Amino acid sequence: MSVLFEARGLSRRFGRVQALDGADFDIDEGEVVALIGDNGAGKSTLVKALTGNLAVDSGELRFQGEPVSFATPQEASRLGIEVVHQDLALAPHLDSAQNMYLGREIMRPGLLGKLGFMDNTTMREATAKAFTELGSAVRSVVVPVGAMSGGQKQSVAIARAVAWANKVLFLDEPTAALGVVQTRNVLDSIKRVRDQGIAVVLISHSMPHVLEVADRVQVLRLGRRVATFEAEGTSVETLVGAMTGALELNQEGAA
Amino acid sequence: MSTATDDTRTEDRPSGTIETSAGHTSIVERVQAVQSAWILGVLVVIIAVFGLMAPSTFLTVGNATNIAQNVSIWAVLAVGVTFVIITSGIDLSIGSVLVVSSVVAAQVMERMGDQGWGTAAVGLVLSVLVGIFWGCFNGFMVAKANVPPLIVTLGTLSIALGIAQILTGGVDVRSAPTVLQDNIGYGRLAGIPVISIIALVIVVLGGILLHKTRFGRYTYAIGSNETSARRVGINVDRKLLQIYGFTGFLAGIAGLLSLAQYGTTTIAGQSLTNLNVIAAVVIGGTSIFGGTGTMFGSMVGLFIPAVLQAGFVIIGVSPYWQTVAVGSILIAAVYVDQHRRANEARGK
């Protein structure tokens, strides 16, 4: 498998804090990569830098071998890269179909579409289909998202991202606020997304979840990638050791 | 507005398990689904009470037309204010923008001297342009300069009114082309005041824009979660500019309608217009926190003060009680809205 998306030497300073300090990252096609690290290790900053949500001071991005740069999240979207943010970024008063297509509405054909009229039926049916494919627990696409449970909101946000991500999907702490059943649904969704051939980047604090779904685990510490592990055969203790620095590693350590 | 299109597809939904239709087939169900339902109930009760107390005078065509005529100009303003409040903004300047639009139009039309449609057309164009200018100024300051809408429009409330007073020396321009006054101000079409028909057309078009088009959807999205609207690539700044500009445009139209109805600019007469319109919109279920509201609700909210006013006059209660009643209903409406939100936050 070839490298789909990679970053080399990303650095970003906020005042006196060096949030990213020459961080590297890479993911292959159809792969699930977990990004782990202690609080403040730079996980969220790295995700922002990789998805057009943050400009870096130095470093380069390559997508399918070509150098790229994203001034806005929309530019990353155009290449098929989507993010599910920790806060989900849903509009609570809109229903899930409206959220799913927000900013990318399907318009009615012909003159009506030119006048700004939307094809709600098509959008609702496509949304229902997407939920079915993801095994989502959402039972109605016309209920305001604000009235849904945490797990349902999460699945709306994931379904939205998957609908537009045909290359890479970033999930920032998708299970942080979820119960056991909902977490299971999200992990299953990740596998289904991977089976569709989309690369998934999972940011998580839960080592068992990481080891369950990820192919590789990349560890960030102090704004830098300190280790990459194959998930298979790696223990939780090893990951925690790499995260905290308790485990001494030569650069790019085990693998 | 067609309501049938969304609702007839249940049989061919793809999954069979996920609901893709809201299932409100009739207007009645649609109305019940929005929180303005209870306020419509309040309006019906008010009408019923006055109807029982004074059936021969209150429940008459004359009284109904009178009420319709009285709410027409506010209805035009309320269309824009509904959009603005749904974005979680506010526009306090509408009354002043109405005044300055009508002053500019009246002065130019007076100088032209002619009483025909040509003059009236020039007046309409000027009035609308002045309105759009102030609306866009509000929108620019809110969207680009990040000044809170309350402050921006409080400022333009003052500036626009001041400019109207400077232009006129504080004396109303007491003239409007006779074609305007005869055909629009006092005109009737099939017994219905022409001004009310114009207002109704604007309200219906505004309702379609809000509820059926992408422009309307983005209006809700901005009020619901501005950050997420930006993240999905909606040009929030430009939308806000358009929405405030649209509100100014409607205030310009209202300025000319007011000139047609009263035959004079109403420099001193619009100081409470903004608050009355905002109160009506909020009573009608549009949340000042943004994200929810309906055009229908705003119209119900407008009729409550108008019906109370007419009713109190007819049954001989001091019309001052109307302001007391409207204020109380406003507080009650927001209380209900808060209560509903709290329930929603708890997941119903």
Side-chain angles (χ1 to χ4, degrees), chain B residues 149-172:
Chain B
L150 184 79
I151 304 301
V152 172
T153 59
L154 189 60
T156 48
L157 172 154
S158 204
I159 301 169
L161 185 62
I163 288 176
Q165 287 165 331
I166 293 165
L167 286 172
T168 56
V171 183
D172 276 312

PDB file of all heavy atoms in Angstrom, chain B residues 149-172:
ATOM      1  N   PRO B 149     -24.770  43.372  17.306  1.00  0.00           N
ATOM      2  CA  PRO B 149     -25.899  43.968  16.582  1.00  0.00           C
ATOM      3  C   PRO B 149     -26.710  44.943  17.432  1.00  0.00           C
ATOM      4  O   PRO B 149     -27.212  45.952  16.919  1.00  0.00           O
ATOM      5  CB  PRO B 149     -26.759  42.769  16.179  1.00  0.00           C
ATOM      6  CG  PRO B 149     -26.039  41.554  16.578  1.00  0.00           C
ATOM      7  CD  PRO B 149     -24.753  41.918  17.234  1.00  0.00           C
ATOM      8  N   LEU B 150     -26.820  44.657  18.716  1.00  0.00           N
ATOM      9  CA  LEU B 150     -27.574  45.562  19.599  1.00  0.00           C
ATOM     10  C   LEU B 150     -26.968  46.962  19.569  1.00  0.00           C
ATOM     11  O   LEU B 150     -27.669  47.970  19.491  1.00  0.00           O
ATOM     12  CB  LEU B 150     -27.567  45.006  21.027  1.00  0.00           C
ATOM     13  CG  LEU B 150     -28.387  45.794  22.041  1.00  0.00           C
ATOM     14  CD1 LEU B 150     -29.859  45.468  21.905  1.00  0.00           C
ATOM     15  CD2 LEU B 150     -27.923  45.507  23.465  1.00  0.00           C
ATOM     16  N   ILE B 151     -25.643  47.025  19.616  1.00  0.00           N
ATOM     17  CA  ILE B 151     -24.944  48.316  19.639  1.00  0.00           C
ATOM     18  C   ILE B 151     -24.999  48.987  18.267  1.00  0.00           C
ATOM     19  O   ILE B 151     -25.311  50.180  18.147  1.00  0.00           O
ATOM     20  CB  ILE B 151     -23.462  48.107  20.054  1.00  0.00           C
ATOM     21  CG1 ILE B 151     -23.370  47.385  21.388  1.00  0.00           C
ATOM     22  CG2 ILE B 151     -22.715  49.433  20.083  1.00  0.00           C
ATOM     23  CD1 ILE B 151     -24.037  48.095  22.531  1.00  0.00           C
ATOM     24  N   VAL B 152     -24.725  48.209  17.220  1.00  0.00           N
ATOM     25  CA  VAL B 152     -24.720  48.778  15.872  1.00  0.00           C
ATOM     26  C   VAL B 152     -26.067  49.423  15.567  1.00  0.00           C
ATOM     27  O   VAL B 152     -26.151  50.571  15.131  1.00  0.00           O
ATOM     28  CB  VAL B 152     -24.435  47.687  14.818  1.00  0.00           C
ATOM     29  CG1 VAL B 152     -24.618  48.246  13.415  1.00  0.00           C
ATOM     30  CG2 VAL B 152     -23.036  47.137  14.986  1.00  0.00           C
ATOM     31  N   THR B 153     -27.139  48.662  15.816  1.00  0.00           N
ATOM     32  CA  THR B 153     -28.442  49.156  15.397  1.00  0.00           C
ATOM     33  C   THR B 153     -28.989  50.204  16.368  1.00  0.00           C
ATOM     34  O   THR B 153     -29.814  51.028  15.999  1.00  0.00           O
ATOM     35  CB  THR B 153     -29.447  48.001  15.227  1.00  0.00           C
ATOM     36  OG1 THR B 153     -29.576  47.289  16.460  1.00  0.00           O
ATOM     37  CG2 THR B 153     -28.971  47.044  14.139  1.00  0.00           C
ATOM     38  N   LEU B 154     -28.498  50.174  17.606  1.00  0.00           N
ATOM     39  CA  LEU B 154     -28.828  51.276  18.524  1.00  0.00           C
ATOM     40  C   LEU B 154     -28.195  52.559  17.992  1.00  0.00           C
ATOM     41  O   LEU B 154     -28.799  53.634  18.012  1.00  0.00           O
ATOM     42  CB  LEU B 154     -28.299  50.957  19.925  1.00  0.00           C
ATOM     43  CG  LEU B 154     -28.717  51.883  21.061  1.00  0.00           C
ATOM     44  CD1 LEU B 154     -30.221  51.909  21.215  1.00  0.00           C
ATOM     45  CD2 LEU B 154     -28.069  51.440  22.373  1.00  0.00           C
ATOM     46  N   GLY B 155     -26.977  52.434  17.487  1.00  0.00           N
ATOM     47  CA  GLY B 155     -26.305  53.585  16.889  1.00  0.00           C
ATOM     48  C   GLY B 155     -27.016  54.076  15.651  1.00  0.00           C
ATOM     49  O   GLY B 155     -27.287  55.278  15.515  1.00  0.00           O
ATOM     50  N   THR B 156     -27.361  53.182  14.732  1.00  0.00           N
ATOM     51  CA  THR B 156     -28.009  53.631  13.500  1.00  0.00           C
ATOM     52  C   THR B 156     -29.436  54.115  13.757  1.00  0.00           C
ATOM     53  O   THR B 156     -29.945  54.950  13.028  1.00  0.00           O
ATOM     54  CB  THR B 156     -28.004  52.516  12.429  1.00  0.00           C
ATOM     55  OG1 THR B 156     -28.440  51.306  13.012  1.00  0.00           O
ATOM     56  CG2 THR B 156     -26.621  52.331  11.845  1.00  0.00           C
ATOM     57  N   LEU B 157     -30.063  53.582  14.819  1.00  0.00           N
ATOM     58  CA  LEU B 157     -31.373  54.122  15.219  1.00  0.00           C
ATOM     59  C   LEU B 157     -31.255  55.625  15.412  1.00  0.00           C
ATOM     60  O   LEU B 157     -32.040  56.418  14.896  1.00  0.00           O
ATOM     61  CB  LEU B 157     -31.820  53.452  16.519  1.00  0.00           C
ATOM     62  CG  LEU B 157     -33.060  53.933  17.280  1.00  0.00           C
ATOM     63  CD1 LEU B 157     -33.620  52.775  18.083  1.00  0.00           C
ATOM     64  CD2 LEU B 157     -32.800  55.098  18.227  1.00  0.00           C
ATOM     65  N   SER B 158     -30.213  55.991  16.134  1.00  0.00           N
ATOM     66  CA  SER B 158     -29.982  57.392  16.464  1.00  0.00           C
ATOM     67  C   SER B 158     -29.547  58.194  15.234  1.00  0.00           C
ATOM     68  O   SER B 158     -30.088  59.276  14.957  1.00  0.00           O
ATOM     69  CB  SER B 158     -28.879  57.398  17.523  1.00  0.00           C
ATOM     70  OG  SER B 158     -28.925  58.522  18.271  1.00  0.00           O
ATOM     71  N   ILE B 159     -28.566  57.636  14.494  1.00  0.00           N
ATOM     72  CA  ILE B 159     -28.008  58.378  13.358  1.00  0.00           C
ATOM     73  C   ILE B 159     -29.068  58.609  12.279  1.00  0.00           C
ATOM     74  O   ILE B 159     -29.239  59.731  11.779  1.00  0.00           O
ATOM     75  CB  ILE B 159     -26.811  57.600  12.753  1.00  0.00           C
ATOM     76  CG1 ILE B 159     -25.730  57.397  13.809  1.00  0.00           C
ATOM     77  CG2 ILE B 159     -26.240  58.358  11.556  1.00  0.00           C
ATOM     78  CD1 ILE B 159     -24.643  56.412  13.379  1.00  0.00           C
ATOM     79  N   ALA B 160     -29.800  57.539  11.920  1.00  0.00           N
ATOM     80  CA  ALA B 160     -30.776  57.660  10.833  1.00  0.00           C
ATOM     81  C   ALA B 160     -31.880  58.650  11.200  1.00  0.00           C
ATOM     82  O   ALA B 160     -32.301  59.475  10.370  1.00  0.00           O
ATOM     83  CB  ALA B 160     -31.374  56.289  10.509  1.00  0.00           C
ATOM     84  N   LEU B 161     -32.332  58.588  12.447  1.00  0.00           N
ATOM     85  CA  LEU B 161     -33.374  59.530  12.867  1.00  0.00           C
ATOM     86  C   LEU B 161     -32.828  60.955  12.854  1.00  0.00           C
ATOM     87  O   LEU B 161     -33.498  61.891  12.380  1.00  0.00           O
ATOM     88  CB  LEU B 161     -33.872  59.172  14.274  1.00  0.00           C
ATOM     89  CG  LEU B 161     -35.041  60.006  14.781  1.00  0.00           C
ATOM     90  CD1 LEU B 161     -36.261  59.814  13.891  1.00  0.00           C
ATOM     91  CD2 LEU B 161     -35.384  59.659  16.229  1.00  0.00           C
ATOM     92  N   GLY B 162     -31.593  61.123  13.340  1.00  0.00           N
ATOM     93  CA  GLY B 162     -30.965  62.436  13.345  1.00  0.00           C
ATOM     94  C   GLY B 162     -30.868  63.012  11.940  1.00  0.00           C
ATOM     95  O   GLY B 162     -31.169  64.182  11.712  1.00  0.00           O
ATOM     96  N   ILE B 163     -30.462  62.173  10.998  1.00  0.00           N
ATOM     97  CA  ILE B 163     -30.338  62.649   9.616  1.00  0.00           C
ATOM     98  C   ILE B 163     -31.701  63.055   9.058  1.00  0.00           C
ATOM     99  O   ILE B 163     -31.835  64.085   8.375  1.00  0.00           O
ATOM    100  CB  ILE B 163     -29.664  61.564   8.743  1.00  0.00           C
ATOM    101  CG1 ILE B 163     -28.179  61.491   9.128  1.00  0.00           C
ATOM    102  CG2 ILE B 163     -29.820  61.866   7.260  1.00  0.00           C
ATOM    103  CD1 ILE B 163     -27.400  60.414   8.440  1.00  0.00           C
ATOM    104  N   ALA B 164     -32.735  62.292   9.393  1.00  0.00           N
ATOM    105  CA  ALA B 164     -34.084  62.659   8.950  1.00  0.00           C
ATOM    106  C   ALA B 164     -34.468  64.024   9.506  1.00  0.00           C
ATOM    107  O   ALA B 164     -35.075  64.858   8.809  1.00  0.00           O
ATOM    108  CB  ALA B 164     -35.087  61.592   9.394  1.00  0.00           C
ATOM    109  N   GLN B 165     -34.094  64.268  10.758  1.00  0.00           N
ATOM    110  CA  GLN B 165     -34.439  65.565  11.382  1.00  0.00           C
ATOM    111  C   GLN B 165     -33.620  66.702  10.778  1.00  0.00           C
ATOM    112  O   GLN B 165     -34.131  67.796  10.565  1.00  0.00           O
ATOM    113  CB  GLN B 165     -34.227  65.476  12.899  1.00  0.00           C
ATOM    114  CG  GLN B 165     -35.295  64.635  13.572  1.00  0.00           C
ATOM    115  CD  GLN B 165     -34.929  64.216  14.979  1.00  0.00           C
ATOM    116  OE1 GLN B 165     -33.754  64.059  15.304  1.00  0.00           O
ATOM    117  NE2 GLN B 165     -35.949  64.025  15.816  1.00  0.00           N
ATOM    118  N   ILE B 166     -32.335  66.403  10.466  1.00  0.00           N
ATOM    119  CA  ILE B 166     -31.504  67.435   9.837  1.00  0.00           C
ATOM    120  C   ILE B 166     -32.070  67.800   8.464  1.00  0.00           C
ATOM    121  O   ILE B 166     -32.193  68.975   8.104  1.00  0.00           O
ATOM    122  CB  ILE B 166     -30.046  66.935   9.694  1.00  0.00           C
ATOM    123  CG1 ILE B 166     -29.415  66.784  11.082  1.00  0.00           C
ATOM    124  CG2 ILE B 166     -29.223  67.888   8.831  1.00  0.00           C
ATOM    125  CD1 ILE B 166     -28.126  65.972  11.088  1.00  0.00           C
ATOM    126  N   LEU B 167     -32.447  66.767   7.697  1.00  0.00           N
ATOM    127  CA  LEU B 167     -32.961  66.997   6.338  1.00  0.00           C
ATOM    128  C   LEU B 167     -34.229  67.844   6.350  1.00  0.00           C
ATOM    129  O   LEU B 167     -34.491  68.612   5.422  1.00  0.00           O
ATOM    130  CB  LEU B 167     -33.262  65.658   5.646  1.00  0.00           C
ATOM    131  CG  LEU B 167     -32.056  64.836   5.170  1.00  0.00           C
ATOM    132  CD1 LEU B 167     -32.508  63.466   4.683  1.00  0.00           C
ATOM    133  CD2 LEU B 167     -31.306  65.576   4.066  1.00  0.00           C
ATOM    134  N   THR B 168     -35.040  67.682   7.387  1.00  0.00           N
ATOM    135  CA  THR B 168     -36.354  68.345   7.398  1.00  0.00           C
ATOM    136  C   THR B 168     -36.423  69.499   8.380  1.00  0.00           C
ATOM    137  O   THR B 168     -37.439  70.189   8.448  1.00  0.00           O
ATOM    138  CB  THR B 168     -37.434  67.331   7.834  1.00  0.00           C
ATOM    139  OG1 THR B 168     -37.044  66.810   9.110  1.00  0.00           O
ATOM    140  CG2 THR B 168     -37.570  66.215   6.832  1.00  0.00           C
ATOM    141  N   GLY B 169     -35.363  69.711   9.169  1.00  0.00           N
ATOM    142  CA  GLY B 169     -35.452  70.681  10.253  1.00  0.00           C
ATOM    143  C   GLY B 169     -36.432  70.230  11.317  1.00  0.00           C
ATOM    144  O   GLY B 169     -36.954  71.028  12.092  1.00  0.00           O
ATOM    145  N   GLY B 170     -36.729  68.949  11.323  1.00  0.00           N
ATOM    146  CA  GLY B 170     -37.619  68.391  12.339  1.00  0.00           C
ATOM    147  C   GLY B 170     -39.097  68.535  12.018  1.00  0.00           C
ATOM    148  O   GLY B 170     -39.949  68.124  12.800  1.00  0.00           O
ATOM    149  N   VAL B 171     -39.405  69.125  10.857  1.00  0.00           N
ATOM    150  CA  VAL B 171     -40.807  69.319  10.487  1.00  0.00           C
ATOM    151  C   VAL B 171     -41.190  68.268   9.442  1.00  0.00           C
ATOM    152  O   VAL B 171     -40.511  68.134   8.424  1.00  0.00           O
ATOM    153  CB  VAL B 171     -41.029  70.735   9.903  1.00  0.00           C
ATOM    154  CG1 VAL B 171     -42.505  70.952   9.584  1.00  0.00           C
ATOM    155  CG2 VAL B 171     -40.511  71.781  10.861  1.00  0.00           C
ATOM    156  N   ASP B 172     -42.284  67.568   9.705  1.00  0.00           N
ATOM    157  CA  ASP B 172     -42.714  66.533   8.775  1.00  0.00           C
ATOM    158  C   ASP B 172     -42.994  67.090   7.386  1.00  0.00           C
ATOM    159  O   ASP B 172     -43.514  68.195   7.245  1.00  0.00           O
ATOM    160  CB  ASP B 172     -43.995  65.857   9.294  1.00  0.00           C
ATOM    161  CG  ASP B 172     -43.657  64.756  10.289  1.00  0.00           C
ATOM    162  OD1 ASP B 172     -42.779  63.940   9.973  1.00  0.00           O
ATOM    163  OD2 ASP B 172     -44.272  64.739  11.365  1.00  0.00           O
TER     164      ASP B 172
END
